[in-house]
Amino acid sequence: ALRLTVVFILSSLVYIVGHKRPWPATLPQELSALDISVRIRVDPEATFPVSTDFGRLVSATPAAVLFPSSNLDIMALLSFANESPRPFKVAPRGRGHSLRGRRSLARRTGGGHDTMATTLSRITVSSCQDGSDPQGSAYVDAGGEQLWADVLRETLKHGLAPKSWTDYLYLTVGGTLSNAGISGQAFRHGPQISTVYELDVITGKGEMKTCSKEHNSDLFYAVLGGLGQFGVITRARIALEPAPDNVKWVRLIYTDFAAFTKDQEYLISLDGRPTPGTNSTKSKGFDYVEGSVFLDRSPVSSWRSSFKPADSARINSLITKYGPVYCLEAGIYYRNASKFAAKKDLDRLLEELSFIPGMTFIIDIGYVRFLNRVCEGELQLRAQGLWDVPHPWLALFVPRSRISDFNARVFRRIIRENRSKGPILVYPVNRDSDPDEGVFYSVSLLWSATTETLEQLEAQNEEVLRFCNDEGIKVKQYLPHYEERSDWVKHFGAKWEVFLERKRKYDPKRILSPGQGIFTSSA
Ligand code: FAD
């Protein structure tokens, strides 16, 4: 348990993590003076079983929980923590789906998703097609505590949907915007943080501020991807686009990594421009591009993406013959009325790709079901008691120039020889900020561990990072986890000074989100 007097804040719940057990019998004295104390529970055991987050690798125990009735409660708590002679730490909690105690507890109320999360805000959709909105397009205002699944449900009522997603919808707006929120749409729209127009944020000093690219822009850019360090997101204004009805969900199999990545990079270059070399009509290309690696002796079907048994058998026969096999996963969005145009677009695209003939798996699926695929996998794993297990995940951004070295050593040797089990995602994303590289690869090793395999998987992740370091492959960890401050300084590189300056400005007492270990780690 953390030796911190920490108050966890979730826009709908507040956790207070106290001294080592046993719990303070009453609320820490300094808090009981506040009129919000009526909404603070000091018996987390009754409220929240001691547990960890999704990673189940770090255990933090709340000393108490605040159920704020409004953002004013959160402001009161944060300004009090900021002025208190004995400041206590505060961390916003979204859904508790972090991986290494980056916030508080994952709390499960048995099967299904947390039922506790009350919400403080409403989801309001504004479609300003009349140009009244400076941004000139439709947007949704959603609370930081809102689940993306609920945002989707509300926006679809208007025939609209957010442009960029994560592959799993039961994460909160505040949680994913504190990281990036990346998935198969990112090549076209950027990660979720790129689709935010405006935020309401309660800073570490308890001040409510509205920020955007034009207004309080340093706070805006600090909070987006800011790992919960600068303030609590209480509202995000997120860009919307007309929602499709269905998706042609395509999976194409390759044994040649170079052909696989060449096709992926070709597909992420398509963005409404005519396909080079043909005089066909505009090709909008795919709307979603990802990919995965199937290794020998690891099941082709997983919680991330399943195949029919006969299809799995055909893919496994390729794996037996050729070793690791690569699966390009893509989706073309379409309205019911344009089903045939989508089919034509898909047929033309497939003619240009070099997957193994006959190894194409195409399903027409509803848009919501497509976005919500991982949840179906979750329910299957839960039913088998395999969801709430340790998840030593490793997510990396790998430069395009080194992805084939990464494949040769990591996929085809380090992981293959260790017979690790779990989805391995690998897909390119456009990177405007770096004209030379232009593209980087998002690689996610999504392991589920048992007590027997956890140590081996952690050691294997270390071996992957050591290989990249020794070979000078400039990877960047996503959902980063570091033990030492010096590693955080290296992670942020030239941006560390800006990070530090914004921390001093918006959270001078370093109250917020201690679970990330940025300002609590040594050295
Ligand atoms: P929590 O874990 O509760 O909090 C995460 C961090 O955000 C903490 O530092 C916390 O302090 C901070 N925070 C939470 N709420 C707020 C707020 N309102 N204001 C400020 N800070 C806040 N990520 C992707 O990018 N793409 C994916 O496809 C993807 N798929 C995933 C699938 C699964 C099954 C899981 C478990 C995770 C996945 N993730 C993915 C990772 C996920 O985006 C992050 O772990 C995210 O932070 C979890 O959101 P949460 O609501 O659970 O936040």
Side-chain angles (χ1 to χ4, degrees):
L2 297 171
R3 265 206 68 68
L4 296 167
T5 303
V6 175
V7 175
F8 279 117
I9 258 203
L10 180 78
S11 313
S12 52
L13 299 177
V14 173
Y15 289 134
I16 298 177
V17 172
H19 313 280
K20 264 201 182 324
R21 307 276 226 30
W23 298 110
T26 57
L27 201 58
Q29 198 52 38
E30 56 271 44
L31 275 176
S32 45
L34 287 177
D35 68 3
I36 58 170
S37 56
V38 290
R39 288 184 285 283
I40 296 181
R41 301 267 304 270
V42 286
D43 54 349
E45 292 286 335
T47 320
F48 296 95
V50 173
S51 74
T52 69
D53 53 16
F54 183 76
R56 298 185 109 71
L57 300 170
V58 173
S59 169
T61 318
V65 178
L66 167 71
F67 297 80
S69 61
S70 74
N71 291 330
L72 292 174
D73 282 2
I74 300 173
M75 293 168 73
L77 190 75
L78 282 173
S79 41
F80 189 85
N82 194 55
E83 285 142 27
S84 162
R86 203 163 62 106
F88 43 86
K89 303 287 182 189
V90 176
R93 177 186 186 276
R95 201 65 187 188
H97 273 43
S98 280
L99 298 161
R100 288 183 184 274
R102 290 186 188 97
R103 14 91 5 264
S104 50
L105 299 168
R107 189 186 56 70
R108 287 277 168 264
T109 47
H113 302 293
D114 289 353
T115 51
M116 170 69 98
T118 51
T119 55
L120 292 178
S121 62
R122 283 170 16 86
I123 298 171
T124 47
V125 179
S126 311
S127 39
C128 311
Q129 309 302 351
D130 58 2
S132 60
D133 167 60
Q135 286 123 10
S137 60
Y139 59 79
V140 59
D141 282 318
E145 83 285 3
Q146 297 285 0
L147 286 177
W148 284 99
D150 296 332
V151 174
L152 175 62
R153 195 191 53 243
E154 284 306 310
T155 55
L156 283 177
K157 290 175 186 168
H158 303 260
L160 298 162
K163 299 176 177 178
S164 192
W165 291 98
T166 51
D167 281 329
Y168 179 62
L169 305 184
Y170 289 87
L171 306 169
T172 63
V173 168
T176 63
L177 295 185
S178 296
N179 285 289
I182 181 170
S183 173
Q185 303 86 358
F187 78 92
R188 180 158 289 168
H189 299 295
Q192 288 179 316
I193 55 174
S194 304
T195 65
V196 176
Y197 289 135
E198 190 177 270
L199 295 170
D200 282 346
V201 175
I202 302 174
T203 69
K205 296 190 281 189
E207 297 158 342
M208 173 65 91
K209 288 188 177 287
T210 298
C211 53
S212 66
K213 288 179 185 162
E214 296 79 25
H215 179 64
N216 289 326
S217 56
D218 63 336
L219 179 61
F220 183 69
Y221 289 114
V223 167
L224 290 175
L227 305 177
Q229 296 302 310
F230 305 96
V232 181
I233 299 169
T234 59
R235 175 187 65 91
R237 176 163 291 181
I238 301 154
L240 298 176
E241 63 179 2
D245 298 309
N246 302 294
V247 181
K248 278 195 177 300
W249 177 25
V250 181
R251 285 164 303 166
L252 308 169
I253 302 294
Y254 298 70
T255 50
D256 175 344
F257 186 75
F260 165 66
T261 49
K262 181 169 168 280
D263 282 356
Q264 282 185 314
E265 290 186 25
Y266 166 63
L267 292 177
I268 69 165
S269 73
L270 296 179
D271 183 11
R273 289 185 293 275
T275 305
T278 67
N279 55 6
S280 63
T281 53
K282 272 191 178 247
S283 144
K284 78 179 181 75
F286 284 105
D287 300 282
Y288 174 100
V289 176
E290 284 202 9
S292 38
V293 185
F294 298 140
L295 299 178
D296 358 19
R297 295 178 293 267
S298 66
V300 166
S301 280
S302 73
W303 56 271
R304 180 63 195 55
S305 185
S306 61
F307 287 86
K308 289 189 199 120
D311 295 337
S312 294
R314 290 174 60 210
I315 297 168
N316 273 316
S317 63
L318 283 176
I319 296 173
T320 312
K321 198 167 164 203
Y322 296 100
V325 151
Y326 308 96
C327 173
L328 194 160
E329 183 178 20
I332 288 190
Y333 296 171
Y334 65 93
R335 302 304 300 257
N336 290 327
S338 51
K339 179 167 184 158
F340 295 106
K343 169 88 172 64
K344 206 163 140 259
D345 217 11
L346 177 58
D347 290 346
R348 206 174 38 66
L349 279 168
L350 293 182
E351 281 161 19
E352 297 167 72
L353 303 179
S354 40
F355 50 87
I356 296 175
M359 292 305 269
T360 51
F361 304 96
I362 301 170
I363 306 173
D364 278 282
I365 184 174
Y367 176 58
V368 174
R369 198 157 163 236
F370 175 76
L371 292 178
N372 206 26
R373 303 186 312 286
V374 170
C375 179
E376 291 182 17
E378 171 190 359
L379 298 178
Q380 285 160 20
L381 281 188
R382 275 186 184 287
Q384 303 156 40
L386 295 174
W387 184 257
D388 288 329
V389 296
H391 293 99
W393 288 6
L394 180 62
L396 298 172
F397 295 147
V398 182
R400 163 167 52 180
S401 54
R402 304 302 303 272
I403 194 65
S404 55
D405 300 332
F406 191 92
N407 167 57
R409 174 71 77 80
V410 175
F411 298 148
R412 302 189 75 88
R413 280 184 43 199
I414 296 174
I415 297 178
R416 186 176 178 198
E417 285 153 11
N418 285 317
R419 301 190 179 193
S420 308
K421 298 218 181 328
I424 300 171
L425 302 185
V426 54
Y427 58 90
V429 184
N430 290 316
R431 178 185 192 160
D432 332 354
S433 58
D434 180 343
D436 336 343
E437 284 290 345
V439 166
F440 67 88
Y441 276 77
S442 171
V443 175
S444 303
L445 310 177
L446 303 177
W447 310 132
S448 299
T450 61
T451 35
E452 296 72 38
T453 61
L454 178 57
E455 209 175 308
Q456 177 251 322
L457 287 167
E458 293 266 55
Q460 178 183 269
N461 287 344
E462 286 307 316
E463 187 182 352
V464 170
L465 291 170
R466 214 173 23 255
F467 159 69
C468 294
N469 187 51
D470 297 350
E471 297 297 318
I473 302 178
K474 291 195 172 52
V475 296
K476 185 68 76 185
Q477 276 195 51
Y478 177 54
L479 309 172
H481 162 63
Y482 299 105
E483 303 286 351
E484 308 293 337
R485 164 78 67 79
S486 48
D487 293 331
W488 279 110
V489 177
K490 210 168 129 204
H491 173 82
F492 286 105
K495 297 194 175 136
W496 172 251
E497 286 310 320
V498 174
F499 194 85
L500 215 45
E501 179 245 318
R502 287 176 177 167
K503 184 72 174 175
R504 281 192 207 105
K505 182 172 180 186
Y506 291 110
D507 181 25
K509 297 280 184 71
R510 299 184 168 183
I511 292 167
L512 289 167
S513 298
Q516 296 284 2
I518 304 174
F519 295 101
T520 46
S521 49
S522 56

